């Protein structure tokens, strides 16, 4: 009996996601689909367009059986830590047998080979990477090129250009990181590739399988609801409209602006230097830009470099907002996901949940009221700190809603979504 | 030869201020008027409606000769510390001979007697005050009542009700604090009372001498410019319109909302407990309210108590925003105003400035570019910290302007206003 895991953001849940979910179930013959999903902030370093419960409900009404939250401290991280946190979450359920993910290049052996190099970092590869970085290439390209050189030299059969192109596909990058995470955690979960359909990850045009980016872009249009409708499964469209009608979205990057600009002007360079991924004097660059700039976009353009691209800067700004320090990030990475936070379940998910209860290797947070008991700061300091960060993410996120919806503490009051 | 000092906020500069300025000059026969004025945040714990340079310009064009900035750490404090900081600033110029202030009750001997009690705190007074507070009275009333009992008992000639009423007038309260500050700093500056004309301090109606509160209230009306015109001297009206036209105002309390709500949710109770004037577990009250409330008004209503009234909560929220900790406030109070920050001058102010240069007992900050040299963190740690707080106040304040005006660092680029 197999249970398939999916790592997702569903920001929002669209036709491509539905296709992938169906394929995952079919390709593995799984009796259930378990999703691990980003919470209110996503891996690009942005707030999600609607909140985590609404996005979990979309997934459930489109065929998922269980949706767990990927803790903030893994969701808003580099592809490596995101994938590692997600794979560990699935692994720690104790019941997931397969993981299914999309890729632009559905060539599992090739992706495995690349994952192996990135994981093992052979001497030759590291020397080449360093040389390319020293020549001034940006990191993703230098890394792809170093892997490509290594593989084409050692295997002789691989076309270096093919390796290079493969490593530049955004879904391939994540796929490689999932494979690497499975390898590094010695997980017995079996990886299954599903070819992608439709638009690329970054594509902003609305085609039949429009990307989530394109769909989010439509919100600047007054007729957005009609514009996005063809690209969303009907439950997803319905939930999106309902949430926005209730004043709970669309949450956008612009909502971060007043808070972040004030916070960055307020913080000292040494406070910034304590934040995760702020290194090499970036704190001074940020301080200077915070003073000079009159908008968040202006600030980011002043701060970004080849090494710190826009997405990385976006994530760093969230680390600043949520005070994710180097110390905290290190303790979270050492522990890995410390709990399974249930966001929602289907009737068949209920049965899987019972199985998870008996087999899972970490705390299962199901009824929200038990959290304070389960996760006391004394008995579980790291887990509690990890959870408190998720709570803060929701509490800040709620401030971007319409005024009547801005109260905090939702993590303690909203129960997991149950669909019939 | 006399030079008269005025303590003001000019938020904005109105007919009543003009009257007071003229009276101050006449009553003292002064050759010049030196103002010490709040910067971008005022004693009620709010941002000023337009920035400090524009307000200084209003004063200069209406007859002031020199305008110095009262550092943030004194401007946004209780009446006692506000008055003390302002009186010390005037005293440290080395040239101010008189201080002129308004009062609802123009009875200098009475106000002096009250100031004496508050300063000396005789045993009998303290016992009575404690008893009244224990009975649940709020602090201002308990204090007024204890002074009243003490004075009427010891002088026999004073009507207790008169003392009580006197101590409830907002301008009387400040007047008493100026007298107390003169006494406690052993200043040789001579106090001169000018009776107030027109509306009370808190009055919200627009009468011929409308209060600044009433004028600020008019900004919610689309025809505000016409509405406020009769109550402002024409240079003041002109400057107000110009600033707002340039996107530099009106800055209002609502601008603080997104930043404060996010900051309060983000900060821990122990971080809050380190902030000045947060005592007796108020940090927990604030944390709880920050989670529950969906607006700043909602939050303040949840936090306020008899002891912590709305104005005090407003100020505390600014201490939070600007990280004015107990330690910093104590070091600032110990030092007192560490520099004379010039905001603007008239041609005759120029002559007084030369005199101040030779006589003043603290650093004179005139040309902004010399600040980094004059106030190095090594040679003047407290003064530099005090100045950095003023700079931060401006940098956060600028974020409440229209986007094109949001750049920071104005304290280093705007020169003192010179009028002809």
């Amino acid at each position: 009996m197999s249970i398939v895991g999916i790592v997702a953001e569903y920001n929002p849940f669209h036709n491509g996601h539905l296709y992938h979910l169906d394929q995952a179930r079919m390709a593995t013959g799984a009796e259930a689909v378990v999703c691990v999903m980003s919470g209110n902030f996503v891996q690009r370093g942005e707030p999600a367009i609607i909140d985590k419960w609404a996005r979990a409900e979309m997934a459930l009404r489109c065929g998922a059986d269980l949706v767990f939250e990927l803790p903030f401290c893994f969701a808003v991280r580099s592809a490596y830590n995101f994938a590692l946190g997600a794979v560990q979450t699935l692994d720690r359920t104790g019941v997931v047998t397969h993981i299914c993910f999309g890729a632009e290049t559905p060539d599992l052996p090739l992706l495995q080979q690349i994952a192996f190099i990135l994981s093992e970092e052979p001497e030759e590869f590291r020397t080449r990477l360093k040389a390319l970085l020293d020549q001034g290439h940006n990191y993703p390209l230098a890394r792809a090129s170093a892997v490509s050189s290594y593989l084409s030299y050692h295997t002789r059969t691989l076309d270096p250009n093919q390796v290079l192109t493969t490593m530049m596909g955004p879904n391939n990058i994540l796929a490689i990181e999932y494979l690497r995470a499975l390898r590094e955690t010695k997980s017995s979960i079996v990886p299954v590739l599903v070819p992608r359909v439709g638009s690329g990850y970054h594509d902003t045009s609305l085609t039949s399988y429009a990307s989530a980016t394109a769909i989010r872009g439509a919100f600047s249009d007054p007729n957005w609801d009609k514009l996005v409708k063809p690209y969303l499964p009907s439950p997803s469209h319905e939930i999106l409209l309902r949430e926005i009608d209730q004043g709970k979205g669309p949450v956008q990057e612009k909502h971060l602006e007043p808070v972040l600009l004030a916070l960055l002007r307020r913080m000292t360079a040494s406070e910034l230097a304590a934040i995760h991924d702020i290194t090499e004097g970036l704190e001074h660059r940020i301080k200077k830009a915070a003073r000079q700039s009159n908008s968040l976009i202006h600030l980011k353009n002043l701060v970004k470099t080849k090494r710190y691209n826009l997405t990385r800067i976006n994530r760093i700004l969230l680390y600043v907002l949520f005070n994710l320090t180097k110390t905290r990030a290190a303790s979270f990475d050492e522990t890995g996901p410390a709990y399974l936070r249930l966001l929602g379940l289907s009737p068949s998910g209920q049965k899987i949940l019972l199985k998870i209860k008996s087999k899972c290797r970490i705390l299962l947070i199901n009824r929200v009221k038990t959290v304070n008991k389960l996760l006391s700061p004394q008995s579980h300091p790291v887990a509690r700190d990890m959870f408190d960060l998720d709570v803060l993410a929701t509490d800040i996120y709620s401030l971007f809603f319409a005024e009547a919806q801005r109260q905090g503490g939702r993590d303690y009051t909203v129960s997991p979504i149950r669909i019939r």
Side-chain angles (χ1 to χ4, degrees), chain A residues 128-143 305-308:
Chain A
R128 180 88 188 122
L129 176 60
K130 192 177 175 307
L132 288 164
L133 287 172
D134 289 347
Q135 283 166 37
H137 293 287
N138 69 40
Y139 187 76
L141 191 64
R143 193 174 76 150
T305 60
K306 255 183 202 161
R307 197 167 169 79
Y308 288 96

Side-chain angles (χ1 to χ4, degrees), chain A residues 12-18 199 205-211 214-215 218 223-238 240-241:
Chain A
F13 192 101
H14 57 57
N15 291 340
H17 293 131
L18 179 60
S199 310
S205 60
L206 287 169
T207 57
S208 68
Y209 279 99
S211 75
I215 293 167
N223 288 315
W224 63 267
D225 58 333
K226 285 183 193 67
L227 263 180
V228 302
K229 198 171 179 191
Y231 314 107
L232 301 178
S234 65
S236 180
H237 185 249
E238 196 182 288
L240 188 62
L241 257 63

Side-chain angles (χ1 to χ4, degrees), chain A residues 12-171:
Chain A
F13 192 101
H14 57 57
N15 291 340
H17 293 131
L18 179 60
Y19 172 85
H20 180 257
L21 208 152
D22 290 342
Q23 288 291 309
R25 198 188 283 272
M26 286 209 301
T28 58
E31 60 163 332
V33 178
V34 175
C35 296
V36 52
M37 190 187 84
S38 310
N40 288 323
F41 291 84
V42 298
Q43 205 251 332
R44 279 162 180 259
E46 292 171 7
I49 198 131
I50 52 170
D51 83 10
K52 57 189 182 187
W53 291 286
R55 281 155 45 237
E57 188 184 350
M58 288 174 164
L60 293 166
R61 287 183 50 198
C62 291
D65 295 300
L66 286 170
V67 183
F68 292 108
E69 177 175 358
L70 181 62
F72 176 91
C73 64
F74 304 112
V76 186
R77 296 287 296 284
S78 68
Y80 172 71
N81 293 97
F82 173 88
L84 189 59
V87 164
Q88 284 179 310
T89 302
L90 293 175
D91 199 58
R92 290 176 184 188
T93 61
V95 305
V96 171
T97 55
H98 295 74
I99 177 171
C100 196
F101 42 83
E104 290 89 357
T105 315
D107 179 344
L108 192 57
L110 172 61
L111 298 175
Q112 290 275 30
Q113 277 180 298
I114 298 171
F116 178 84
I117 309 298
L118 295 181
S119 207
E120 292 295 318
E121 295 193 314
E123 180 67 34
E124 257 176 275
F125 160 77
R126 275 189 289 138
T127 313
R128 180 88 188 122
L129 176 60
K130 192 177 175 307
L132 288 164
L133 287 172
D134 289 347
Q135 283 166 37
H137 293 287
N138 69 40
Y139 187 76
L141 191 64
R143 193 174 76 150
S145 176
V147 169
S148 162
S149 304
Y150 184 93
L151 275 180
S152 58
Y153 179 80
H154 285 275
T155 62
R156 314 263 166 189
T157 54
L158 281 170
D159 170 10
N161 270 333
Q162 192 203 342
V163 178
L164 202 74
T165 336
T166 300
M167 286 189 68
M168 299 314 281
N171 286 281

Side-chain angles (χ1 to χ4, degrees), chain A residues 263 267 271 274-276 317-326 328 389 392:
Chain A
L263 198 56
M267 286 173 81
E271 284 170 337
I275 297 297
H276 176 64
L317 294 180
L318 290 186
Y319 306 154
V320 170
L321 180 56
F322 293 105
N323 197 27
L324 181 61
T325 58
K326 292 180 167 72
R328 290 176 88 188
L389 190 54
L392 180 62

